[in-house]
Amino acid sequence: MKEDFLHYLWKYKKWNTLDLKTTTGELIAISHVGQYLQQAGPDFFNAQITIGNQKWAGNVEIHLKSSDWYVHHHEKDEAYENVILHVVWEHDTEVFRKNNSEIPVLELRNYVDKSILINYQRLVAPKSWIFCEKQLRDLEDFVLKNWQERLFFERLERKSQAIYELLQQTNNDWEAVLFCMLAKNFGLNTNGDVFLKIAQSIPFDVIRKESFEVENLEALMLGRANLLEIEKEDNYFKDVKFRYFYLLHKYQLDSKIVGQVQFFKHRPDNFPTIRLSQLANLYHLHQNLFSKIITISNVEAAYSLFKTGPSLYWKNHYQFDKESPKKPKKLSKSFVELLVINTIIPIQFAYAKSLAKEITDDLIAVLANVAPEKNSIVDKFSSFGVKATNSFESQSLLQLKKEYCENGKCLHCAIGMELLKRN
């Protein structure tokens, strides 16, 4: 048993409220269980409780055993001096305040229905993947549907943290932030961090000024990616390298390499050379990309905006000095959908929030028409009977797994709460 189960029992009064008594036999009447703030100090603040004939207002601390009070050194902490009731599952020792007055104890196990315990034990039973995996098929649809929106926006809030940090670094330049976010997502999982560092290492004013010559943008990105160090015979390579060092001198940029991109285990169309050229072309075609991004209201508009490929040289190359059959190499629909999920929607959400504008329904509507991501988490949920039909639902499932299931937060999850209620 975990302490958060006792928090759940106390918060929702999942115990027999009649004839409650302290371990010394005094009657207890609960007017208000207190506020569950989940921060440092006692577990529940400003509870209102009558013990015997005395009404108290103060805090409630909850432990599995009374002796945990001393294990956690609460006797040395002033924050616990105002505890009016110690709620425990098992009472194994008396606890005293600094003035030697004894803190009343409620031994909760004497008042909890066995059905709740059985449901809890079933919920936290040994698992192969998540705790409730054997019960998901029997879950009513409305429970998950009602929970999905909360999960989705929790995930958006988490993704937005990176945007807020970039805003601070760029003096609130939304165009620069968008450039960084797009770069990271063009790099996918393998090269995302390096691509982000590449974008951060080039002042966005330089991107603005050089966007009229795509070769200059490519030179800056390829040079920062450490792809111009080894000499090549290719004339395009020589031209790009000359442009790179010219631009370093022109804008007084340092020549520090920010990281090493990876080719290994990538399909050729995902090689960093191709992705960087596509990103350069995107900014060559759209000088005011942010204003277009924030107005996207459906996935078709995103397909149209991101209808771009690499520059001419890269249409028949994947690496310098190695010619390949000519291919357009335009951004695929599935790749654009990843950009919608991981860049466009988070940017729209964060920007609307900065303006105190409500667009939650609009964001859900966009992702409701985008196919769900294909990954092991979404597939595993599907094997247990929870199928994602669009990316709004798959994003919710990713949040559920990573923030709740993996951290054992079943009692903070709507699914876990529902399973505990069953008869």
Side-chain angles (χ1 to χ4, degrees), residues 116-318:
I116 295 180
L117 285 176
I118 292 171
N119 286 343
Y120 175 70
Q121 289 162 358
R122 185 183 295 129
L123 182 61
V124 298
K127 59 185 173 67
S128 64
W129 193 59
I130 59 176
F131 285 115
C132 63
E133 58 194 29
K134 295 178 181 178
Q135 303 167 70
L136 281 176
R137 290 185 186 278
D138 300 326
L139 191 70
E140 293 82 357
D141 285 344
F142 76 89
V143 175
L144 183 58
K145 296 297 182 186
N146 290 342
W147 183 219
Q148 280 177 331
E149 186 170 325
R150 162 84 178 272
L151 291 169
F152 172 68
F153 284 104
E154 280 185 5
R155 186 165 176 81
L156 265 186
E157 285 285 1
R158 185 181 63 76
K159 286 184 177 183
S160 296
Q161 292 308 308
I163 295 173
Y164 302 141
E165 290 171 10
L166 288 169
L167 281 169
Q168 288 186 327
Q169 296 168 18
T170 60
N171 197 26
N172 290 319
D173 187 337
W174 283 95
E175 285 279 10
V177 171
L178 174 63
F179 175 58
C180 290
M181 292 294 292
L182 282 171
K184 178 175 174 58
N185 288 301
F186 265 70
L188 301 171
N189 289 334
T190 307
N191 289 313
D193 289 340
V194 177
F195 274 32
L196 173 59
K197 290 177 181 176
I198 290 170
Q200 290 176 305
S201 73
I202 307 171
F204 192 70
D205 281 346
V206 174
I207 298 295
R208 284 190 180 100
K209 291 174 183 175
E210 299 300 330
S211 61
F212 298 99
E213 288 196 60
V214 69
E215 294 84 1
N216 287 355
L217 293 182
E218 282 193 12
L220 285 166
M221 295 180 192
L222 294 168
R224 280 292 197 251
N226 200 25
L227 293 172
L228 303 178
E229 291 299 301
I230 300 174
E231 291 299 328
K232 306 285 184 181
E233 294 301 316
D234 195 296
N235 287 331
Y236 183 75
F237 172 87
K238 293 176 181 178
D239 177 62
V240 166
K241 186 168 184 176
F242 174 81
R243 288 171 183 269
Y244 176 59
F245 285 103
Y246 167 75
L247 292 166
L248 290 185
H249 177 73
K250 177 180 178 180
Y251 293 107
Q252 296 298 296
L253 305 176
D254 66 64
S255 58
K256 182 176 70 174
I257 302 301
V258 299
Q260 186 66 52
V261 294
Q262 300 295 321
F263 287 79
F264 184 62
K265 289 187 177 180
H266 276 299
R267 292 186 302 105
D269 281 359
N270 283 332
F271 275 6
T273 46
I274 304 304
R275 291 304 184 202
L276 288 172
S277 179
Q278 290 167 334
L279 183 61
N281 264 272
L282 181 65
Y283 275 88
H284 171 61
L285 293 171
H286 304 283
Q287 278 76 43
N288 297 299
L289 192 57
F290 177 74
S291 62
K292 299 173 183 178
I293 288 288
I294 59 171
T295 61
I296 286 178
S297 59
N298 54 65
V299 70
E300 286 74 21
Y303 294 149
S304 177
L305 183 63
F306 286 92
K307 191 178 290 185
T308 186
S311 61
L312 184 63
Y313 175 83
W314 294 108
K315 289 180 180 179
N316 64 340
H317 289 81
Y318 288 102

Side-chain angles (χ1 to χ4, degrees), residues 331-346:
L331 295 176
S332 66
K333 285 190 173 182
S334 60
F335 187 83
V336 173
E337 287 168 1
L338 286 177
L339 295 179
V340 171
I341 295 167
N342 295 313
T343 303
I344 295 175
I345 295 296

